[in-house]
Amino acid sequence: MIDQDGKRQELKRLHDIVDKVSQHQSTLQERYFIKVVTPMLGGSSKPGDVDPRFPIRSASIRGHLRFWWRATRGARYETAEELRKVESNIFGDTQHPSKVKIWVDQPKCVHEPQKIEFKKQLSNLRYVLFPFENKRYLSKKCSNKQWNSQRDKEENEPLSFELYIEYLLGVGNSEEDRQLELEKYKKEIHAALWAWINFGGIGARTRRGCGSLYCSRFSMKEDERFYNQRDVEKWYKEHLQTYGIQLLSGNISREWPTLSNEIHLQFHKQKIWDAWSKTIRVYQLFRSRRKKTGTKRPGRSNWPEADSIRKLTIMHSNKHKELLTISSSDDQEYAFPRAVFGLPIITKFTGENGPGNREPYTTQLTPEGKEKARLASPLITKAIAVSEHDGHGALIVLKQPKIEGLELSLAGDEAQNKHNPTHTSLIEEKLRSTVINKHHIYAPSVTYKNPVNNPMAKPEGMYNSALEAFLNIKEVKDWKR
């Protein structure tokens, strides 16, 4: 039997434990209120689809945070094995429990997903949203009107959610050790949160600005002022230092993407939609460089990929018989510089398709090696939010290994030999034997009929990559201002 004094001592001990747990609750658990400020595509368990009941999934956020942890903290590790060991210690794997628990409070009111139709504001973004045409997305309504009622205001509020992060610390450690452990994991997670909120997003197509986020704790401040590129670089370096983020120097890269020192922002904040659409527009103009015709009809591409495919397949319409971007006499002169913007690239030719007068079959360009079908773009084009309404257009470059080789193959019906199987089989065999290496991607040797039409040309020589050329064009300099 326990006497009364013993009971009182036991109750006091239990109260002390409860008090200690309560005191630690605020430090062990963090809550962030996050708003989605551009349309969110996908994000459900079914790829490319929106689940209106559970639009924000904690598993998706965990995946985004793991990516941005590797991009921010991963430069310290030289091998994937070293990286994986530390990453699994933080986020867990099949053999180790996670040190970080992540969950989401779903929005209380979710708007009915809207079908993507390229009208009004979305028409300016067709270039990046086309894969999702006629699919659904979540967003506030695009309107600048005054709200006549509380219901109008609620319907036009951005999609928002609460993110909870709990740190699961070692049991039995001293208070000092627990505090050191807590600070250690917070440093890792906060670096990923800062990069995810500012440079990433939720759902699909986040590298093209969809599902962009605003969180007052990590987002750029609304009163931030930029007058030139030096101010942008100063802001960036200060935050890299705050979150202990190390960048790789020179041409050094890791097997996984990491942040680089290449970041460009519009100097003045604008409405989110304006900042985003202007950023996409300047990117689109560069990737779609074409010969001017003086009419509304677009001219031939100034990029060498189309001519290269014509040359390699020995297929062309009569009016495209002459190669404008590469030599017809040098068998090894062909180039695919836009591969640096992401793969695969599907090229579908239009125009005459009669006997002896037809353009090439539809082709796809993929990374070399059957295990690799895709390569994410190292370029992020988006708006960085400073509030739920305003932001700065942004171009952020991730550092990743150079592409070593590419494979060009037939796509669509032609890949199944549905049309003219004898001829398509011959073309496929020729493409399989074609070697496309980094010399056909970076600073490729090309012979233009008119050198000024080369999008990669600079006053003396050529830029090393299409990405480098893009960041130095006049339109990007004007876009910043």
Side-chain angles (χ1 to χ4, degrees), residues 196-341:
W196 175 56
I197 294 292
N198 287 285
F199 308 144
I202 190 74
R205 301 290 281 175
T206 58
R207 294 201 190 188
R208 293 294 168 259
C210 297
S212 290
L213 305 169
Y214 172 74
C215 174
S216 59
R217 169 64 175 79
F218 294 102
S219 289
M220 183 185 294
K221 303 307 176 188
E222 195 165 7
D223 59 358
E224 195 76 55
R225 294 288 181 267
F226 303 113
Y227 297 100
N228 51 49
Q229 182 62 22
R230 287 191 300 276
D231 292 339
V232 173
E233 292 169 358
K234 180 183 176 184
W235 170 84
Y236 187 51
K237 288 177 181 177
E238 286 174 352
H239 284 77
L240 293 178
Q241 186 174 6
T242 297
Y243 293 104
I245 298 170
Q246 174 184 328
L247 300 184
L248 296 169
S249 60
N251 294 322
I252 301 172
S253 65
R254 299 292 186 244
E255 297 174 48
W256 55 91
T258 59
L259 285 181
S260 75
N261 58 8
E262 199 76 69
I263 180 170
H264 302 267
L265 303 179
Q266 290 175 320
F267 299 149
H268 306 290
K269 70 179 181 183
Q270 304 177 45
K271 294 299 180 186
I272 283 282
W273 283 82
D274 291 338
W276 184 28
S277 61
K278 287 176 183 177
T279 304
I280 296 303
R281 180 62 177 161
V282 74
Y283 175 62
Q284 177 188 2
L285 287 172
F286 180 73
R287 283 203 59 165
S288 307
R289 290 276 199 247
R290 292 183 175 276
K291 182 181 178 182
K292 294 180 180 179
T293 63
T295 67
K296 290 184 178 180
R297 188 171 182 175
R300 287 175 65 174
S301 174
N302 283 339
W303 290 95
E305 287 89 351
D307 276 350
S308 296
I309 295 170
R310 291 184 179 107
K311 182 177 181 177
L312 291 170
T313 59
I314 320 176
M315 298 175 71
H316 54 76
S317 64
N318 289 335
K319 67 178 181 179
H320 293 155
K321 184 177 181 180
E322 182 183 23
L323 302 180
L324 301 181
T325 60
I326 56 175
S327 168
S328 57
S329 58
D330 184 347
D331 291 343
Q332 294 303 308
E333 187 174 311
Y334 44 88
F336 298 89
R338 284 181 293 179
V340 298
F341 291 119

Side-chain angles (χ1 to χ4, degrees), residues 294-414:
T295 67
K296 290 184 178 180
R297 188 171 182 175
R300 287 175 65 174
S301 174
N302 283 339
W303 290 95
E305 287 89 351
D307 276 350
S308 296
I309 295 170
R310 291 184 179 107
K311 182 177 181 177
L312 291 170
T313 59
I314 320 176
M315 298 175 71
H316 54 76
S317 64
N318 289 335
K319 67 178 181 179
H320 293 155
K321 184 177 181 180
E322 182 183 23
L323 302 180
L324 301 181
T325 60
I326 56 175
S327 168
S328 57
S329 58
D330 184 347
D331 291 343
Q332 294 303 308
E333 187 174 311
Y334 44 88
F336 298 89
R338 284 181 293 179
V340 298
F341 291 119
L343 297 164
I345 296 176
I346 308 294
T347 304
K348 188 171 184 177
F349 292 82
T350 59
E352 297 87 348
N353 284 321
N357 179 31
R358 72 155 292 156
E359 290 283 65
Y361 301 127
T362 301
T363 63
Q364 66 173 353
L365 192 67
T366 57
E368 188 177 36
K370 292 188 179 296
E371 73 283 356
K372 296 180 179 180
R374 304 185 66 83
L375 180 68
S377 174
L379 177 67
I380 298 170
T381 53
K382 62 169 299 176
I384 295 178
V386 298
S387 71
E388 65 184 75
H389 304 294
D390 301 321
H392 296 261
L395 302 170
I396 304 108
V397 179
L398 298 176
K399 180 173 277 195
Q400 54 192 41
K402 280 190 172 184
I403 303 169
E404 293 296 327
L406 299 170
E407 293 179 2
L408 186 66
S409 59
L410 298 184
D413 288 346
E414 288 83 10

Side-chain angles (χ1 to χ4, degrees), residues 99-205:
K99 291 289 197 300
V100 180
K101 183 180 178 182
I102 297 170
W103 74 97
V104 170
D105 248 5
Q106 296 290 337
K108 294 181 174 64
C109 176
V110 177
H111 315 313
E112 187 64 25
Q114 305 169 55
K115 183 182 286 188
I116 289 183
E117 296 176 342
F118 296 111
K119 302 173 182 177
K120 298 181 180 178
Q121 278 122 320
L122 285 185
S123 64
N124 297 328
L125 299 164
R126 184 170 195 155
Y127 186 72
V128 294
L129 298 180
F130 74 90
F132 288 85
E133 187 168 6
N134 294 322
K135 291 191 177 182
R136 302 185 304 168
Y137 71 95
L138 280 174
S139 176
K140 65 178 181 178
K141 293 179 180 177
C142 309
S143 174
N144 292 319
K145 70 174 185 178
Q146 296 295 316
W147 317 128
N148 296 321
S149 67
Q150 182 63 24
R151 182 177 178 181
D152 281 346
K153 185 175 181 180
E154 288 176 357
E155 286 183 349
N156 284 274
E157 283 294 308
L159 178 70
S160 59
F161 61 95
E162 288 179 298
L163 173 65
Y164 290 85
I165 296 179
E166 185 173 354
Y167 300 90
L168 308 176
L169 306 182
V171 178
N173 292 342
S174 68
E175 178 61 27
E176 184 179 355
D177 288 344
R178 285 168 60 85
Q179 194 60 38
L180 288 172
E181 188 181 10
L182 176 63
E183 293 306 315
K184 170 188 170 183
Y185 287 113
K186 277 188 174 182
K187 189 172 185 179
E188 303 290 336
I189 297 300
H190 287 186
L193 280 167
W194 172 73
W196 175 56
I197 294 292
N198 287 285
F199 308 144
I202 190 74
R205 301 290 281 175

